[in-house]
């Protein structure tokens, strides 16, 4: 049953206590109210760095008013009255009593730069968390006209935020977050499964096209059996061995796929009925993989920011590593969707090791002339 407070019980006791940064903000504002000249010693924070609207309004008011003479400020509180009047334009709930309480809770005004550094660190955490949430939402928004482009734009915004935090808090060597990363989200999308099946069938029927699809990896597949079959296909093609449903089935047996829930007849049926081109279905699969990688990136960084034990240095290192994983998938997407630039073929080329063999063309329609032997 829900708890019913007693008549003499203070309902405010049920309110969650403020975060530590709230008390740090009180100490910094108290230092400025007590010794306004301390504002010149502080850099890196603005009104948006504070966690509450009241504190932001107070900092903005303090910053906008010229600091009074220290001796005059100690004797007369006119400057405090001016700060309160300006701040109440943005936060009407502020009172003179709260300003005096801020002065009382400040332990040591000369520590204002240290307090400001703490507030700056917490603001960076909130900025990073907000950018990660925007990325997660974009990666799951099916209404976007260009989901991949929009999601990668959000990833760029997040990357710029990480760069800014790096400039403010250069990371130390080995400062990795100790927070466990969340597992990769598993999707049960029937469209994704159908597209993977169509790719495998079409690639088996047209293996020559698969050699140009190095931008697709088994990790892009949502179904583990499909990922294994794609590895079988690419392995056979790399060995330059015949590719058809039977040879793929034989390779799947050697890789232990048939014991993982796939029966031989099911594999043969899966590889039958090609439709379209392998490149088309491969791009569809990679499209989903990019969005899944972006979603996982956002969740990883969100998890880091939710752990108050992580310092800004650890957030930078963990975020950079997470961004690097998305960059790898993004590079493959660019290779898959970018048309190769036309190149001028030299008059004579020499095949070297690692050069792709020319594609087989149609048979000649005329018989080449036979060289005559001189009598």
């Amino acid at each position: 049953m829900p708890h019913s407070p007693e008549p003499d019980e203070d309902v405010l006791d049920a309110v969650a206590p403020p975060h530590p940064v709230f008390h740090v903000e009180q100490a910094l504002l108290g230092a400025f109210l007590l010794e306004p000249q301390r504002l010149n010693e502080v850099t890196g924070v603005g009104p948006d760095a504070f966690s509450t609207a009241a504190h932001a309004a107070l900092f903005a008011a303090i910053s906008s008013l010229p600091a009074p003479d220290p001796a005059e400020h100690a004797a007369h509180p006119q400057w405090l009255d001016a700060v309160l009047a300006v701040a109440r334009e943005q936060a009407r709930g502020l009172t003179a009593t709260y300003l005096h309480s801020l002065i009382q809770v400040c332990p040591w005004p000369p520590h204002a730069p240290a307090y400001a550094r703490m507030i700056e660190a917490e603001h960076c955490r909130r900025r990073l968390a907000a950018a990660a949430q925007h990325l997660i939402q974009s990666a799951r928004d099916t209404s976007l006209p260009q989901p991949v482009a929009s999601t990668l734009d959000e990833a760029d915004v997040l990357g710029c935020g990480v760069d800014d935090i790096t400039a403010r808090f250069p990371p130390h060597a080995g400062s990795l977050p100790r927070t466990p990363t969340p597992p990769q989200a598993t999707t049960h999308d029937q469209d994704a499964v159908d597209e993977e099946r169509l790719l495998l069938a079409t690639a088996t029927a047209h293996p020559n096209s698969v050699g140009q699809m190095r931008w697709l990896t088994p990790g892009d597949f949502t179904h583990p059996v499909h990922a294994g079959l794609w590895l079988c296909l690419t392995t056979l093609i790399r060995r330059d061995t015949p590719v058809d449903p039977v040879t793929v089935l034989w390779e799947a047996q050697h890789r232990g796929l048939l014991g993982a829930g796939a029966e031989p007849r099911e594999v043969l049926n899966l590889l039958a009925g090609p439709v379209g081109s392998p490149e088309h279905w491969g791009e569809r699969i990679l499209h989903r993989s990019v969005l899944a990688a972006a979603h996982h990136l956002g969740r990883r960084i969100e998890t880091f920011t939710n752990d108050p034990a992580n310092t800004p240095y650890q957030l930078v290192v963990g975020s950079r590593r997470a961004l690097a994983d998305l960059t790898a998938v993004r590079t493959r997407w660019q290779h898959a969707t970018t048309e190769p630039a036309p190149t001028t073929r030299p008059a004579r080329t020499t095949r070297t090791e690692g050069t792709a063999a020319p594609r087989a063309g149609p048979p000649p329609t005329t018989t080449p002339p036979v060289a005559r032997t001189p009598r």
Side-chain angles (χ1 to χ4, degrees):
M1 296 178 62
H3 172 68
S4 299
E6 298 296 332
D8 57 345
E9 182 179 355
D10 190 355
V11 181
L12 294 179
D13 291 341
V15 179
H19 295 288
V21 71
F22 179 84
H23 303 285
V24 179
E25 293 173 4
Q26 286 187 321
L28 180 63
L29 293 172
F32 292 155
L33 294 174
L34 186 62
E35 300 179 6
Q37 68 275 12
R38 297 289 178 186
L39 183 64
N40 298 326
E41 304 173 2
V42 170
T43 59
V45 296
D48 58 340
F50 290 81
S51 61
T52 68
H55 288 177
L58 272 175
F59 182 83
I62 294 171
S63 303
S64 64
L65 295 175
D69 178 78
E72 182 181 355
H73 179 63
H76 304 284
Q78 286 84 355
W79 186 79
L80 293 179
D81 295 337
V83 168
L84 179 60
V86 174
R88 290 191 65 180
E89 296 177 1
Q90 302 297 327
R92 298 185 61 84
L94 283 172
T95 62
T97 302
Y98 187 68
L99 267 62
H100 287 288
S101 67
L102 293 177
I103 296 175
Q104 293 174 355
V105 299
C106 178
W108 193 247
H111 291 172
Y115 303 152
R117 189 67 167 167
M118 299 173 192
I119 295 170
E120 182 182 6
E122 193 63 23
H123 181 222
C124 290
R125 181 192 305 276
R126 293 197 302 269
R127 286 176 52 200
L128 197 58
Q133 291 168 4
H134 290 159
L135 179 62
I136 293 173
Q137 294 171 1
S138 179
R140 284 291 178 259
D141 190 352
T142 58
S143 65
L144 295 173
Q146 295 181 333
V148 171
S150 300
T151 300
L152 293 180
D153 287 343
E154 291 292 345
D156 290 338
V157 173
L158 191 151
C160 291
V162 173
D163 292 340
D164 179 67
I165 298 174
T166 304
R168 296 169 180 263
F169 298 89
H172 305 309
S175 53
L176 276 172
R178 294 186 292 264
T179 308
T181 58
Q184 185 80 37
T186 57
T187 58
H188 303 282
D189 192 337
Q190 187 59 42
D191 291 339
V193 173
D194 293 340
E195 289 171 358
E196 291 173 4
R197 294 173 63 94
L198 288 170
L199 169 66
L200 294 171
T202 307
T204 303
H206 307 285
N208 291 336
S209 301
V210 178
Q212 307 300 323
M213 297 173 59
R214 297 179 181 177
W215 37 263
L216 191 66
T217 67
D220 297 321
F221 290 75
T222 61
H223 197 290
V225 173
H226 297 169
L229 290 175
W230 178 253
L231 184 59
C232 293
L233 267 167
T234 55
T235 300
L236 293 175
I237 294 170
R238 186 173 62 252
R239 293 175 185 167
D240 198 20
T241 55
V243 176
D244 61 35
V246 174
T247 59
V248 174
L249 175 65
W250 191 248
E251 182 68 21
Q253 173 179 297
H254 291 165
R255 293 185 176 274
L257 293 179
L258 301 184
E263 298 295 333
R265 176 50 58 185
E266 294 177 357
V267 173
L268 292 176
N269 292 337
L270 185 151
L271 298 177
V275 177
S277 65
E279 292 87 351
H280 170 75
W281 299 117
E283 287 186 15
R284 292 296 306 162
I285 294 170
L286 187 56
H287 177 279
R288 297 177 186 275
S289 182
V290 172
L291 296 179
H295 183 267
H296 187 56
L297 162 65
R299 292 182 63 238
R300 287 174 65 182
I301 296 181
E302 185 181 47
T303 302
F304 294 154
T305 58
N306 287 339
D307 187 353
N310 287 325
T311 65
Y313 313 101
Q314 293 173 311
L315 293 178
V316 166
V317 175
S319 299
R320 279 186 162 181
R321 292 205 173 188
L323 283 165
D325 294 340
L326 177 62
T327 300
V329 184
R330 181 178 194 165
T331 301
R332 293 191 287 111
W333 171 256
Q334 291 171 345
H335 286 313
T337 57
T338 303
E339 293 291 338
T343 56
T344 304
R345 181 175 297 177
R348 183 178 181 181
T349 58
T350 303
R351 287 196 60 199
T352 58
E353 185 177 358
T355 304
R359 296 181 180 180
T365 56
T366 60
T367 304
V370 181
R372 295 182 179 180
T373 304
R375 293 182 180 178

